[in-house]
Amino acid sequence: NNFRIFLTMEMSPKVPANLVRMSNVVIFEPPRGIKSSMIRIFSSLPKARVDRAPAERSRLYFLLAWLHSIILERLRYTPVGWTKTFEFSEADYRCATAIVDEWVDKIGKGRRNVRPSQLPWGAIQTSLRTIVYGGRIDNVYDQERLDAFVKKLFSAESYGGQFPLATKLDRKTKKIDTLLRIPDCRSYDEFYKWIKETKDISSPEFLGLPCNAEALLLREQATRLLSVFSKLQIYDTEVGAVKEGGGGGGQRRRSIASQHPPWYERVKKLVNYWVKAVPPSIKLLPSGPAASSSALIRCLQREISLFKKVHSSIREDIKNAQEYLDGNQSGSNRTREVLRMLGAEDRVPKWWDIQPRPTALSASNWMQDFINRVEGINEIAKTPPKEIGRKKPIWLGGLYSPEAFVAASRQEIARSKNCAVDSLSLVVTIDDSGDSLGDDFIYHGFTLFGAECDQSKLSLSDLEFQKLKFAHFQWKSAKERKEKNEEKSVSFPVYLESSRERFLFQISLPYVGNHDHYMFSERGTCVTVWSPPV
């Protein structure tokens, strides 16, 4: 009875829920915003340590505090700020200050001042990018974001009076304007006073994000909450799942009509609709020696095999469910489990959803998406093998493995050109017509985040997202790409959907604007190939 344990931890879904319920929980959540974070950091720093010679040390401490605050605040905007939640903490800042002290002491050697150009910027940048903060990052695109912030802040130019700490996009001129400049301070007291007197700097633009990043985040949260509330409402009003009556073998099956749960009529309508709406079959691709030698056909055959497996399971389950709901047959355990999931939990059985998508869908939305995908794969199967993806656009997000199809298209082009696969690189063209360019694969259903695309050229934008009508993928050799090498281009990731959990591949597009390419990375620019059905 006298035993007590004090446990400190980061909030994590891995923590057992029962442990939390049994405990007295105290949550420490620091105030949000860059200003609050920097005040907290400077309050914990000894004044004598910051003001220690050489005098240039204090500005490095300020830059570290600014960088650390940006890194922590961007966690709030996951998956836009960072693709996932990394465990950055105050310990990282303490390690960073120790590294800075070590390098500055080596250069300063007790002197009161050193030239900013003499500071070991390369060593400081590498330590921060690869050890202190970069050691926690396992995503190449998050690493690019970190590299951009570190290289921009930690340079000799940061000792100039007009050095910009943050920039923003002018919505009218589409130019980059300075949002906040570094203060002309030289001591702990001056920096601390400036931080306290600075106006609230809570806008996402101070973090390098679009001004509407908060709205995008709230919209995603609202979508998840609505899904949860919908399921809770169904569960709360349920008075019992569809179950078999008890008793011995001679007892008559109770009429299901006498024990309808609240969701009975809704599920019955859904099942009756699905029996008619789900396509009756999955079309097959032509077989033979020519088909087996094509990487593209083999890829699609694997896709069709998965679709057939799920399709046959769904057709059988909804047919049995319809018969059971109509009282024409006794239900098996599997049928009752299907009805319980569809009705009480508003989700599909796990054996239907063999590759779950991170975006939670209701049962009706999931089925509508599956119907759309089956119609898409049947349309592909009807197309002559040599015309697949060439004349009619393909919904890449409707496939189980979109990245495999893109890789197979590269192999197909390499075979037709009789060249090595590694010698071909992807050239992407975005347009509104969908007309074939001759040697391209045409896709639709792409959504662009963090930028705007016009005539295949990117520009910074505050749009939440932009629907791209058609994307043309061409695989070209270095000689064929020579004409486009002069254009400034930026590479960014393609994900399955907006949660950005499943990475597919990378594409590059030229961009316009007198700014560095890393600004697209800071703003979380990416493309998704699948969106939930409306």
Side-chain angles (χ1 to χ4, degrees):
N1 293 331
N2 295 326
F3 177 76
R4 297 289 185 273
I5 182 171
F6 292 85
L7 181 65
T8 61
M9 67 180 72
E10 296 279 347
M11 294 299 294
S12 170
K14 297 179 182 179
V15 179
N18 288 336
L19 175 63
V20 177
R21 293 192 190 101
M22 295 166 55
S23 307
N24 294 323
V25 181
V26 178
I27 298 178
F28 171 72
E29 185 177 10
R32 294 181 176 182
I34 296 180
K35 180 177 179 179
S36 300
S37 180
M38 294 191 70
I39 289 176
R40 188 170 65 254
I41 290 172
F42 260 73
S43 298
S44 65
L45 288 173
K47 177 181 175 181
R49 181 179 181 181
V50 179
D51 289 341
R52 193 155 55 97
E56 287 70 23
R57 188 192 306 268
S58 61
R59 179 157 297 206
L60 286 174
Y61 270 84
F62 174 81
L63 291 172
L64 274 178
W66 181 264
L67 173 67
H68 186 75
S69 300
I70 287 177
I71 289 173
L72 293 184
E73 281 301 301
R74 286 179 70 95
L75 289 173
R76 289 182 52 219
Y77 296 92
T78 304
V80 181
W82 304 104
T83 56
K84 63 181 181 180
T85 303
F86 297 106
E87 295 182 354
F88 300 119
S89 66
E90 300 300 329
D92 298 319
Y93 181 78
R94 291 195 294 270
C95 291
T97 54
I99 289 174
V100 165
D101 281 339
E102 181 177 355
W103 282 108
V104 172
D105 290 341
K106 286 181 178 180
I107 299 298
K109 297 179 180 179
R111 290 178 292 176
R112 295 182 60 184
N113 296 94
V114 295
R115 290 181 180 179
S117 58
Q118 293 178 338
L119 292 173
W121 296 111
I124 293 174
Q125 289 178 4
T126 301
S127 298
L128 296 177
R129 292 190 300 108
T130 62
I131 302 173
V132 180
Y133 296 105
R136 299 186 184 274
I137 293 175
D138 58 1
N139 182 296
V140 62
Y141 301 102
D142 287 322
Q143 185 65 53
E144 283 183 1
R145 295 184 182 105
L146 177 64
D147 292 351
F149 284 116
V150 171
K151 291 179 180 179
K152 179 174 64 175
L153 291 173
F154 290 88
S155 64
E157 289 77 15
S158 62
Y159 282 81
Q162 301 298 312
F163 180 76
L165 285 175
T167 57
K168 67 175 181 178
L169 175 68
D170 189 295
R171 296 171 182 79
K172 294 182 179 179
T173 63
K174 296 293 184 179
K175 294 182 178 179
I176 303 301
D177 294 334
T178 299
L179 192 61
L180 184 68
R181 299 187 188 278
I182 196 167
D184 185 17
C185 304
R186 292 175 174 79
S187 66
Y188 175 91
D189 290 333
E190 290 178 354
F191 278 117
Y192 196 29
K193 180 181 178 182
W194 180 87
I195 295 171
K196 283 194 167 185
E197 293 179 352
T198 301
K199 295 180 180 179
D200 185 27
I201 46 180
S202 58
S203 169
E205 291 179 301
F206 287 95
L207 308 175
L209 296 170
C211 63
N212 58 8
E214 187 80 32
L216 182 64
L217 181 70
L218 293 174
R219 185 166 61 84
E220 292 289 335
Q221 291 176 346
T223 302
R224 290 194 295 267
L225 283 174
L226 283 174
S227 175
V228 172
F229 287 154
S230 175
K231 293 179 180 180
L232 286 174
Q233 185 179 24
I234 294 172
Y235 183 80
D236 187 55
T237 57
E238 181 197 5
V239 295
V242 180
K243 295 181 179 178
E244 193 73 40
Q251 184 177 359
R252 294 181 60 188
R253 181 173 55 86
R254 289 185 297 174
S255 172
I256 193 171
S258 64
Q259 54 173 14
H260 291 172
W263 44 260
Y264 170 81
E265 290 296 334
R266 178 177 61 85
V267 171
K268 186 174 182 179
K269 290 179 181 179
L270 282 177
V271 169
N272 289 335
Y273 170 72
W274 291 344
V275 169
K276 299 177 182 178
V278 174
S281 63
I282 303 289
K283 297 185 182 299
L284 299 178
L285 287 167
S287 57
S292 62
S293 63
S294 170
L296 205 62
I297 299 300
R298 293 197 303 270
C299 175
L300 287 173
Q301 286 173 340
R302 289 191 294 270
E303 287 283 333
I304 289 175
S305 176
L306 287 174
F307 272 102
K308 282 183 67 66
K309 178 181 178 181
V310 177
H311 178 266
S312 61
S313 178
I314 290 174
R315 291 283 299 179
E316 180 183 358
D317 286 342
I318 61 177
K319 188 63 178 176
N320 290 337
Q322 185 185 47
E323 292 293 325
Y324 180 56
L325 290 170
D326 290 339
N328 297 329
Q329 69 176 30
S330 59
S332 64
N333 289 336
R334 175 171 172 137
T335 299
R336 289 193 295 273
E337 178 68 7
V338 169
L339 291 173
R340 185 189 67 81
M341 288 184 169
L342 295 178
E345 300 184 15
D346 194 25
R347 64 184 178 92
V348 298
K350 60 183 179 181
W351 55 87
W352 292 5
D353 200 10
I354 60 174
Q355 286 189 6
R357 312 229 158 170
T359 300
L361 294 178
S362 64
S364 59
N365 283 343
W366 186 95
M367 184 60 78
Q368 186 58 55
D369 178 64
F370 181 75
I371 292 171
N372 295 340
R373 293 169 66 192
V374 169
E375 291 173 349
I377 199 71
N378 279 342
E379 191 66 30
I380 293 174
K382 290 191 303 183
T383 307
K386 292 185 178 180
E387 296 181 6
I388 291 176
R390 303 301 186 96
K391 293 185 177 180
K392 290 185 178 180
I394 289 177
W395 179 29
L396 197 60
L399 303 178
Y400 280 108
S401 299
E403 65 275 40
F405 184 86
V406 173
S409 70
R410 186 185 189 185
Q411 296 175 29
E412 194 73 12
I413 296 298
R415 189 181 70 156
S416 67
K417 293 184 176 183
N418 195 25
C419 65
V421 173
D422 292 343
S423 66
L424 299 177
S425 297
L426 182 61
V427 176
V428 179
T429 304
I430 307 295
D431 66 19
D432 295 339
S433 67
D435 296 333
S436 175
L437 302 179
D439 60 345
D440 58 329
F441 288 86
I442 313 171
Y443 305 109
H444 69 92
F446 285 19
T447 305
L448 174 65
F449 292 86
E452 187 176 2
C453 184
D454 182 26
Q455 297 181 352
S456 295
K457 293 188 177 181
L458 288 184
S459 61
L460 296 178
S461 172
D462 287 332
L463 290 175
E464 286 190 26
F465 59 87
Q466 180 187 5
K467 294 288 186 180
L468 304 178
K469 289 192 175 181
F470 300 102
H472 303 258
F473 282 22
Q474 296 173 286
W475 295 101
K476 296 189 175 184
S477 63
K479 184 178 180 180
E480 293 172 316
R481 299 192 315 270
K482 191 174 182 181
E483 296 179 0
K484 292 195 173 185
N485 285 345
E486 298 178 358
E487 291 184 299
K488 297 183 297 182
S489 63
V490 58
S491 299
F492 51 92
V494 177
Y495 297 102
L496 179 65
E497 43 81 57
S498 59
S499 72
R500 309 187 188 195
E501 292 186 15
R502 182 176 166 186
F503 170 77
L504 301 180
F505 48 87
Q506 174 181 284
I507 64 175
S508 298
L509 283 175
Y511 70 91
V512 295
N514 295 322
H515 54 78
D516 293 322
H517 66 88
Y518 66 76
M519 295 198 69
F520 289 101
S521 179
E522 289 180 3
R523 297 166 75 88
T525 299
C526 72
V527 163
T528 61
V529 300
W530 178 86
S531 300
V534 179

